[in-house]
Amino acid sequence: MSSHIILAIESSCDETSASVIHDEVVLSNVISSQTIHEQYGGVIPELASRAHLQAISAIVDKAMQESGKEYQDLTSIAVTTQPGLAGALLVGSSFAKGLGLKLGIPVIPVHHIEGHIYSGMLEHPECGFPFIALIVSGGHTSIFLVREFGEEIAIGNTKDDAAGEAFDKIGKMLGLGYPAGPRIDALAKEGNPKAFTFPRALMHEDNYDFSFSGLKTSVRYFLQKEFPNGIQDESTLKDICASVQEAIVEVLIHKLFRASKEHRIKNIIVAGGVSANSRLRSALQEASEKRPINVFLPKLSYCMDNAAMIGFLAALKLRYLGEYAFHSLQFTVNPRSMRTERI
Ligand code: KG4
Ligand code: ZN
């Protein structure tokens, strides 16, 4: 196998990230999270594009420096081209094309969700095919059946909000700022998950789909009825966080294990921003101890949006597809390409 040194770039949402991968081994992974959106309570696409443009050169330089490699050592560039915010994707893709032209090396377009799926293999080469992947992030909540490399079949999807979106929107109602997922996680650690009961939508339906908008509405009515003047004490807030988190985690786990059981697949990958959630991680651990299954979770810096997973997937493409992984520079970005059957 010839040696590949790949520079990867990720800019699909509000993280600007660059990474250098040497033959499937991560040499550097620099992630810069945009903070400008906090004051607006959600990501503002136009501001995200500008912030990527401002940060990208320095982030790429830093990733190169930390890797100990020179630009001349690079053999290809991998970049996220879909899905994501159009302007944000264009910044990373245009940068990758320009650098590829300058260095005379090919560019490998990468699907962000496919990147999350294979991030579970990044430090777990023992996770072979077939596997079931639960991808839970701010924009997606899907279960994929992956029998072989490149054959990701979406067998379940959210019908409305993504799990991360539910964390963020409910957190906003609770006054926790944006993104609220990590804040709810932290507060829930000292709360009682049984203090309040919130709905678990579609839990017992005969499919692998999810729905979180009913949970959001139910929390809104609950807060209006029980706490019309706001939540006064910290312990109630912690109990609400723990109860909301439990409702989300329970459905995720229920559907995931059901998919694993019905398809008789023992390897499970859980990835995407929400896979950083400590309750989800511990519940997966507990559930896997009771069953003959293996759960593979990326480390935290590979759960959030990061370029290492993009470069790693590009390296896998080179292993499995050879030169077909490369693309002419005529590829474009594709902001919405996710809710399809096959990605
Ligand atoms: O994968 P990601 O970084 O970006 C997208 O592709 O969407 O995921 C971001 C999402 C946000 O909704 C954030 O609130 C959520 O992941 N998140 C968490 C935690 N850390 C991040 N949700 C719950 N618990 C966490 N610890
Ligand atoms: Zn993501």
Side-chain angles (χ1 to χ4, degrees):
M1 188 175 87
S2 59
S3 183
H4 296 292
I5 301 177
I6 305 170
L7 167 68
I9 296 171
E10 155 66 41
S11 68
S12 64
C13 191
D14 57 346
E15 263 88 29
T16 315
S17 180
S19 167
V20 177
I21 310 283
H22 187 187
D23 289 341
E24 300 174 25
V25 174
V26 179
L27 301 182
S28 63
N29 184 33
V30 179
I31 305 171
S32 163
S33 298
Q34 302 176 356
T35 51
I36 185 148
H37 310 289
E38 278 164 20
Q39 58 191 294
Y40 301 100
V43 179
I44 309 293
E46 179 66 26
L47 296 181
S49 311
R50 292 186 209 175
H52 283 305
L53 195 56
Q54 199 162 36
I56 195 158
S57 314
I59 298 295
V60 167
D61 267 343
K62 192 155 184 261
M64 289 303 300
Q65 261 168 30
E66 288 184 11
S67 74
K69 300 288 179 191
E70 303 295 330
Y71 281 97
Q72 280 65 30
D73 299 331
L74 297 174
T75 56
S76 57
I77 300 175
V79 63
T80 306
T81 53
Q82 58 178 312
L85 304 171
L89 289 165
L90 281 169
V91 174
S93 299
S94 305
F95 191 93
K97 284 191 184 195
L99 190 58
L101 278 173
K102 177 174 186 280
L103 298 173
I105 55 174
V107 178
I108 305 175
V110 173
H111 193 292
H112 180 82
I113 300 303
E114 216 178 350
H116 275 307
I117 292 175
Y118 291 95
S119 71
M121 285 184 163
L122 232 170
E123 291 181 313
H124 301 287
E126 71 275 23
C127 172
F129 299 98
F131 63 83
I132 297 271
L134 169 68
I135 304 304
V136 260
S137 71
H140 306 284
T141 300
S142 306
I143 295 181
F144 293 95
L145 171 61
V146 188
R147 293 202 185 278
E148 57 184 283
F149 182 75
E151 289 287 310
E152 303 89 19
I153 300 169
I155 56 172
N157 274 308
T158 180
K159 292 184 175 295
D160 38 60
D161 293 351
E165 206 176 344
F167 271 110
D168 293 339
K169 287 180 176 168
I170 291 170
K172 195 172 178 183
M173 290 177 213
L174 295 169
L176 299 179
Y178 176 86
R183 281 282 288 144
I184 292 185
D185 188 352
L187 288 164
K189 285 195 175 117
E190 291 168 33
N192 174 9
K194 295 200 171 99
F196 306 102
T197 307
F198 295 114
R200 274 92 165 132
L202 310 183
M203 179 116 135
H204 299 291
E205 288 204 8
D206 192 17
N207 56 37
Y208 309 117
D209 290 333
F210 302 96
S211 166
F212 294 105
S213 70
L215 171 64
K216 180 184 64 188
T217 311
S218 144
V219 175
R220 177 174 292 120
Y221 288 147
F222 165 82
L223 293 174
Q224 281 168 1
K225 183 161 172 268
E226 303 293 329
F227 303 97
N229 302 318
I231 301 162
Q232 306 305 329
D233 69 302
E234 185 87 350
S235 79
T236 308
L237 178 63
K238 288 174 179 169
D239 285 348
I240 296 173
C241 287
S243 304
V244 165
Q245 178 175 271
E246 200 62 17
I248 297 174
V249 167
E250 207 177 304
V251 227
L252 291 175
I253 295 216
H254 183 84
K255 294 274 170 135
L256 174 63
F257 283 116
R258 189 166 162 201
S260 147
K261 192 172 169 205
E262 289 180 0
H263 288 88
R264 295 201 183 89
I265 292 179
K266 293 190 177 357
N267 288 341
I268 292 180
I269 286 176
V270 181
V274 180
S275 68
N277 183 268
S278 59
R279 177 64 193 133
L280 177 60
R281 292 174 92 88
S282 67
L284 282 166
Q285 182 70 29
E286 283 162 29
S288 66
E289 279 162 11
K290 293 186 204 135
R291 298 173 174 82
I293 51 165
N294 313 305
V295 176
F296 300 98
L297 285 161
K299 70 175 177 188
L300 295 187
S301 55
Y302 298 152
C303 288
M304 64 194 300
D305 286 349
N306 68 90
M309 68 181 189
I310 302 304
F312 178 67
L313 176 55
L316 291 182
K317 283 178 184 250
L318 289 171
R319 177 173 11 139
Y320 286 99
L321 311 175
E323 63 183 280
Y324 293 107
F326 298 137
H327 215 283
S328 82
L329 286 178
Q330 279 162 10
F331 68 82
T332 185
V333 297
N334 190 356
R336 260 169 276 145
S337 66
M338 207 22 236
R339 309 228 168 182
T340 50
E341 265 295 287
R342 280 252 303 264
I343 63 175

